[in-house]
Amino acid sequence: MDTKRLETIGNKKLTRRDALKLAGVGGLGLLVGAGGMGALMQPKPSAANLAGSAESNSADGIVPFYGKHQAGIITPMQDFICMGAFDLTATSLDDVRKLFQSWTEASARLTAGKSVGDESGHSLLPPVDTGESMGLGAMRMTITFGLGPSFFDERFGLASKRPAPLVDLPHFNSDDIRKEWTGGDVVVQVCANDPQVAFHALRNLARIGRGKAVLRWVQDGFQRTSAADPKGSTPRNLLGFKDGTANPNVSDEKTADEIVWAQSSDDPAWMAGGSYMVMRRIRMRIEVWDRSTLADQESTFGRHRESGAPLGKTDEFDDLELDRKDSKGKPVIPATSHVALAHMDGKVKILRRGYSYSSGMDLKTGQLDAGLLFVCFNRDPRKQFIPMQQKLAAADQLNEYISHVGSGIFACLPGASEGGYIGDTLF
Amino acid sequence: MDTKRLETIGNKKLTRRDALKLAGVGGLGLLVGAGGMGALMQPKPSAANLAGSAESNSADGIVPFYGKHQAGIITPMQDFICMGAFDLTATSLDDVRKLFQSWTEASARLTAGKSVGDESGHSLLPPVDTGESMGLGAMRMTITFGLGPSFFDERFGLASKRPAPLVDLPHFNSDDIRKEWTGGDVVVQVCANDPQVAFHALRNLARIGRGKAVLRWVQDGFQRTSAADPKGSTPRNLLGFKDGTANPNVSDEKTADEIVWAQSSDDPAWMAGGSYMVMRRIRMRIEVWDRSTLADQESTFGRHRESGAPLGKTDEFDDLELDRKDSKGKPVIPATSHVALAHMDGKVKILRRGYSYSSGMDLKTGQLDAGLLFVCFNRDPRKQFIPMQQKLAAADQLNEYISHVGSGIFACLPGASEGGYIGDTLF
């Protein structure tokens, strides 16, 4: 456990014991953050997100759609993601409003394990729901909506409403961004403990959007399933290393408010309770990585591969203690290792919520097109994601093995109350 | 239950009661065949495949690798597939033999939930195993190897050994085959109840093959997870219809011998206990399908969408009774429906073992690249898959909504005994 990290959370000194109390019923597992929780031992998310109906902790349960915040942000991670970005073809704000009203209604049903709408009963009409999730459960599905910078162009008269934190992402060193994996007026993140359930939701939302929105890109992702890891250990990325160990403990409301949620004191007010998502499609150079030595790999991450412990330590949750030196006076954890750079002196944190992806072969290179669908949430990307990524892009040893090929930044709207709709604070 | 179909199995009359007895401990579920079984209620496969160690029926259990037959053929379907085809760069039969020996050894370890090999302990060497499945279980993984027609060209001196049933597939009406999804000297089918475990296996086999084999294509696929459907109903394809209802009951050895396994009386003898796989990457025109009426959809399949029952009937396993006519004298199940054509008068059967796939967007068309990774096994494709597909390609109403974009035919070798290796009857 990284006591030093916890001490800085919420600008309040926390002892290790406080940290454990704070974790509550979830036990130590909770401290792992969203990335480290298996669905079978998932804690209840922040009470603020639980308005509406009762939360189920089982792998096939229901995560309430309505609440102060959108679900799928501080919600403990599900096993699968199906993420899509849409370009709007609607030409009026009124049509956009109707689209979000329809999407809200459909999402509330889908996340409750229902079909997207009641069937008409007329066999001479297309079915209301495409049917492939019939008989399957809710599978802890969450559906999360965000608006990209392009949403705030001249089309809908909302240019003046564009949130200042929703900047265009700068070019980072070592970026190799492809248009086909980038941007979008609207992002829809669907996460669930079943890939067919998640695909079904995105597909039906696309169908509802016909005439108003077209899909721009779609990316599926996975973690190990809950069944493969019932203890809910920190998942491993496709480089074989545990990923998510240092995620902040957002089950603590104060931490979540500081790191994740836009506040009413922030500008704009209509984003209060929302959050900013950054998506990066990070291709891993699997074949190159697989030829590097274990020492190189561990030096690159700054952690031991098997245990996930910081270099020179034995437990995954041991403190990093970046100032440790070896007998020759060199840092035990190299300053250009991923973990040392991402630590940002403990002052800058983001909530990571990424998934591995495997998309067959890259026909151009004849290598695997696999890697990380990096997703993170932060209260202000100008102060969190961007400076962190600038530091990583400049010096991270990991850059030798990865390539950012897709990118997106989205203002994830506040949650909606029953009767309201996602976006109602803006539209 | 399709009594008519069962009656023809094994050239022996079977009553409905016989069929139920034959299903044994698996109950009715068994009769659904490979396509309809959830891992949580999976029956033991044929005893012939169980040489070696004890079979576990749990979703995370071990399916023995060694046996008379390769696992992954009549094995009840797992939730995920990761399939790859390799082109051999090896230039001698001796190198091919060594490759299959290494692959066999690695596969036996991987399917037992172990790493691909013992780590050397030297941090200045690359790790033996890529590590991303550390701590995860065996997850019922199976790894199945097959040889394509191109394997039997002049390179390895085995042209005279090419099995007669391993024909080049003919061009079928409505084929739209793309080179990048077609062929390969060797196919490796990895199936498991976890996508990360499956990916890990294919990746490590590719790594072992370095210098001898390069990946040609890779396709992932999924079904609903066992957790989403603990009752193990017949899975639905991405068109929303149940898929696999009419699969033969290959837990019956006689049926499996007749439909799936090459026999010692067949030519060549070294394939006895093996089977022929046909792979078709079938793109679904999701957006077009979703605009068709329920009546059109049901007429296309010849079954009701919700229940899976033959048109005009109420239970999924009711007899098709293709000779039924409506009040106007027209067949209740159209002669050009998928089910009517695939029925082949009950005389020709294949074992289907397909998975849904979702591979993002097709950049050329802006539509979803999703569909069915069709996989089937048969004893002689000349008598089974090919005539069936010719009939379907010529007249199936479903052709309006699908497109075959990838294709492969492979001789899946007999199983290996411990101490032997996959391919040892040939090499």
Side-chain angles (χ1 to χ4, degrees):
Chain A
M1 190 61 235
D2 187 342
T3 314
K4 187 171 286 172
R5 178 172 61 74
L6 276 166
E7 281 170 2
T8 64
I9 285 176
N11 294 323
K12 184 183 164 186
K13 285 274 176 194
L14 288 179
T15 64
R16 187 182 176 85
R17 171 172 286 174
D18 288 333
L20 289 168
K21 274 198 297 190
L22 188 149
V25 290
L28 246 180
L30 243 172
L31 294 164
V32 183
M37 298 302 304
L40 292 179
M41 49 181 298
Q42 281 170 339
K44 291 175 187 275
S46 159
N49 209 33
L50 285 174
S53 52
E55 165 84 7
S56 158
N57 278 327
S58 68
D60 59 353
I62 294 173
V63 179
F65 179 75
Y66 292 109
K68 178 181 170 190
H69 305 297
Q70 286 196 76
I73 298 176
I74 63 165
T75 308
M77 282 183 79
Q78 301 94 328
D79 297 346
F80 299 93
I81 191 171
C82 185
M83 183 180 260
F86 290 87
D87 286 330
L88 294 172
T89 52
T91 51
S92 72
L93 182 57
D94 194 48
D95 277 349
V96 172
R97 188 181 296 115
K98 283 180 190 153
L99 174 63
F100 275 83
Q101 286 166 340
S102 305
W103 273 351
T104 298
E105 198 182 325
S107 298
R109 290 184 58 116
L110 288 165
T111 53
K114 298 178 189 164
S115 63
V116 75
D118 294 323
E119 293 297 337
S120 66
H122 294 294
S123 71
L124 296 179
L125 290 174
V128 173
D129 186 285
T130 60
E132 71 270 27
S133 71
M134 255 189 272
L136 309 179
M139 302 309 290
R140 291 191 63 83
M141 184 161 65
T142 56
I143 304 177
T144 313
F145 296 88
L147 305 174
S150 58
F151 181 85
F152 295 93
D153 62 15
E154 71 290 342
R155 285 171 294 169
F156 311 113
L158 293 174
S160 66
K161 302 271 193 167
R162 177 170 169 178
L166 189 69
V167 293
D168 293 310
L169 288 176
H171 174 84
F172 298 103
N173 272 348
S174 79
D175 270 7
D176 182 21
I177 302 296
R178 318 281 169 89
K179 201 181 67 179
E180 65 265 30
W181 290 111
T182 298
D185 294 333
V186 178
V187 77
V188 180
Q189 171 194 269
V190 183
C191 297
N193 280 339
D194 185 274
Q196 186 144 335
V197 167
F199 175 86
H200 170 261
L202 186 67
R203 171 196 189 171
N204 280 272
L205 294 177
R207 196 166 171 243
I208 288 170
R210 194 178 297 152
K212 299 193 180 77
V214 294
L215 277 168
R216 180 186 175 90
W217 54 260
V218 173
Q219 181 64 58
D220 296 327
F222 58 92
Q223 287 192 335
R224 83 285 180 268
T225 57
S226 311
D229 184 25
K231 281 183 288 187
S233 316
T234 310
R236 291 178 187 275
N237 60 32
L238 296 186
L239 301 181
F241 279 68
K242 296 190 179 195
D243 201 335
T245 302
N247 241 349
N249 169 27
V250 291
S251 68
D252 172 51
E253 272 187 60
K254 201 166 172 179
T255 304
D257 279 344
E258 185 173 304
I259 295 174
V260 176
W261 301 126
Q263 302 294 309
S264 52
S265 55
D266 298 345
D267 187 44
W270 61 262
M271 268 295 287
S275 185
Y276 296 90
M277 173 205 286
V278 177
M279 176 289 291
R280 307 283 284 182
R281 189 177 192 265
I282 303 178
R283 170 90 176 270
M284 291 172 171
R285 297 198 181 97
I286 300 268
E287 291 86 351
V288 180
W289 177 260
D290 285 354
R291 283 179 231 197
S292 62
T293 67
L294 180 60
D296 276 347
Q297 293 185 358
E298 295 192 333
S299 158
T300 299
F301 271 104
R303 290 185 179 274
H304 292 295
R305 188 174 81 140
E306 184 160 356
S307 65
L311 288 184
K313 301 218 166 184
T314 53
D315 187 84
E316 179 185 353
F317 298 105
D318 281 341
D319 289 352
L320 289 180
E321 292 186 336
L322 291 171
D323 47 2
R324 281 176 300 141
K325 303 277 198 299
D326 65 15
S327 57
K328 292 173 187 156
K330 282 172 62 179
V332 174
I333 297 182
T336 55
S337 66
H338 185 70
V339 74
L341 291 166
H343 184 253
M344 299 292 282
D345 304 321
K347 287 174 187 151
V348 176
K349 292 182 187 307
I350 56 174
L351 175 66
R352 284 177 292 147
R353 212 174 182 289
Y355 289 82
S356 295
Y357 77 84
S358 159
S359 295
M361 307 285 296
D362 178 340
L363 295 174
K364 284 180 205 146
T365 62
Q367 301 205 309
L368 289 169
D369 182 8
L372 175 67
L373 179 62
F374 171 94
V375 178
C376 80
F377 294 94
N378 46 181
R379 179 175 167 187
D380 189 339
R382 295 170 301 178
K383 299 175 187 166
Q384 295 169 270
F385 172 79
I386 292 173
M388 188 181 285
Q389 180 55 24
Q390 274 165 335
K391 203 167 166 187
L392 289 168
D396 190 356
Q397 287 184 47
L398 194 55
N399 294 337
E400 191 178 337
Y401 305 104
I402 62 174
S403 182
H404 289 233
V405 298
S407 181
I409 180 168
F410 302 95
C412 290
L413 297 147
S417 313
E418 255 176 289
Y421 64 94
I422 300 291
D424 57 9
T425 58
L426 172 64
F427 310 142
Chain B
M1 190 62 233
D2 187 341
T3 313
K4 187 170 284 173
R5 179 172 60 74
L6 275 165
E7 281 171 2
T8 65
I9 286 177
N11 293 324
K12 182 183 165 186
K13 286 272 177 197
L14 289 178
T15 63
R16 186 182 179 86
R17 171 172 286 177
D18 288 333
L20 289 168
K21 276 198 296 190
L22 187 150
V25 290
L28 245 180
L30 243 172
L31 293 164
V32 182
M37 297 302 303
L40 293 178
M41 49 180 296
Q42 281 170 340
K44 292 175 187 276
S46 160
N49 209 34
L50 285 175
S53 54
E55 165 85 3
S56 158
N57 278 328
S58 68
D60 59 354
I62 293 173
V63 180
F65 179 76
Y66 293 108
K68 179 180 169 190
H69 305 297
Q70 286 196 78
I73 298 176
I74 63 164
T75 308
M77 281 183 80
Q78 301 93 329
D79 297 345
F80 299 93
I81 190 170
C82 185
M83 183 179 262
F86 290 87
D87 285 331
L88 295 172
T89 53
T91 51
S92 73
L93 183 57
D94 194 47
D95 278 348
V96 172
R97 188 182 296 114
K98 284 179 189 153
L99 175 63
F100 275 82
Q101 286 166 340
S102 305
W103 273 350
T104 298
E105 200 182 323
S107 299
R109 290 185 60 115
L110 289 164
T111 53
K114 299 178 190 165
S115 63
V116 75
D118 294 323
E119 293 298 337
S120 66
H122 294 295
S123 71
L124 296 180
L125 290 175
V128 173
D129 186 284
T130 60
E132 72 270 27
S133 71
M134 256 189 269
L136 309 179
M139 303 308 291
R140 289 190 64 83
M141 184 160 66
T142 56
I143 304 178
T144 313
F145 296 88
L147 305 174
S150 59
F151 181 85
F152 295 92
D153 62 16
E154 70 290 345
R155 284 171 294 168
F156 311 112
L158 294 174
S160 66
K161 303 270 193 170
R162 177 171 169 176
L166 189 70
V167 293
D168 293 309
L169 288 175
H171 173 83
F172 298 103
N173 272 348
S174 77
D175 270 7
D176 182 21
I177 302 295
R178 318 280 169 90
K179 200 181 67 177
E180 65 264 31
W181 290 112
T182 297
D185 293 333
V186 179
V187 77
V188 180
Q189 171 195 270
V190 183
C191 298
N193 281 339
D194 184 274
Q196 186 143 336
V197 167
F199 176 85
H200 170 261
L202 186 66
R203 171 196 189 171
N204 280 272
L205 295 176
R207 197 166 169 243
I208 288 170
R210 195 178 296 154
K212 299 195 180 76
V214 294
L215 278 168
R216 180 186 174 92
W217 54 260
V218 173
Q219 180 65 55
D220 296 327
F222 58 90
Q223 286 192 336
R224 84 286 180 266
T225 57
S226 311
D229 184 25
K231 281 183 289 186
S233 318
T234 309
R236 293 178 186 275
N237 60 30
L238 296 186
L239 301 181
F241 279 67
K242 296 190 179 195
D243 201 335
T245 302
N247 241 349
N249 168 27
V250 290
S251 68
D252 172 54
E253 274 188 59
K254 198 165 173 181
T255 303
D257 280 344
E258 185 172 304
I259 296 174
V260 176
W261 302 125
Q263 302 294 310
S264 52
S265 55
D266 297 345
D267 187 45
W270 60 264
M271 268 294 287
S275 186
Y276 296 90
M277 172 205 286
V278 177
M279 177 289 292
R280 306 283 283 183
R281 189 177 192 265
I282 304 178
R283 169 92 176 271
M284 291 171 171
R285 298 199 179 96
I286 299 269
E287 291 86 350
V288 180
W289 177 260
D290 286 354
R291 284 180 229 193
S292 61
T293 67
L294 180 60
D296 276 347
Q297 294 185 357
E298 296 193 331
S299 157
T300 298
F301 271 105
R303 290 186 179 273
H304 292 294
R305 188 173 79 140
E306 184 160 356
S307 64
L311 288 183
K313 301 218 166 184
T314 53
D315 187 84
E316 179 185 352
F317 299 105
D318 281 342
D319 290 351
L320 288 180
E321 293 185 335
L322 291 170
D323 47 2
R324 281 176 299 141
K325 302 279 198 298
D326 65 15
S327 58
K328 291 173 188 157
K330 283 172 63 179
V332 174
I333 297 182
T336 56
S337 66
H338 186 69
V339 74
L341 290 166
H343 184 255
M344 300 291 283
D345 305 321
K347 287 174 186 151
V348 176
K349 292 180 188 307
I350 56 174
L351 175 65
R352 284 177 292 148
R353 213 173 182 287
Y355 289 82
S356 294
Y357 77 83
S358 159
S359 295
M361 306 284 297
D362 177 341
L363 296 174
K364 284 182 204 143
T365 62
Q367 301 206 309
L368 289 169
D369 181 10
L372 175 68
L373 179 61
F374 172 94
V375 179
C376 80
F377 294 94
N378 47 180
R379 180 176 167 185
D380 190 339
R382 296 169 300 178
K383 299 176 186 163
Q384 294 168 271
F385 172 79
I386 292 172
M388 188 182 285
Q389 181 55 24
Q390 274 165 334
K391 203 166 167 189
L392 289 168
D396 190 356
Q397 288 184 47
L398 194 55
N399 294 336
E400 191 178 338
Y401 306 104
I402 62 174
S403 181
H404 289 233
V405 297
S407 180
I409 181 169
F410 301 95
C412 290
L413 297 147
S417 313
E418 256 177 290
Y421 63 95
I422 301 291
D424 58 8
T425 59
L426 173 63
F427 310 142

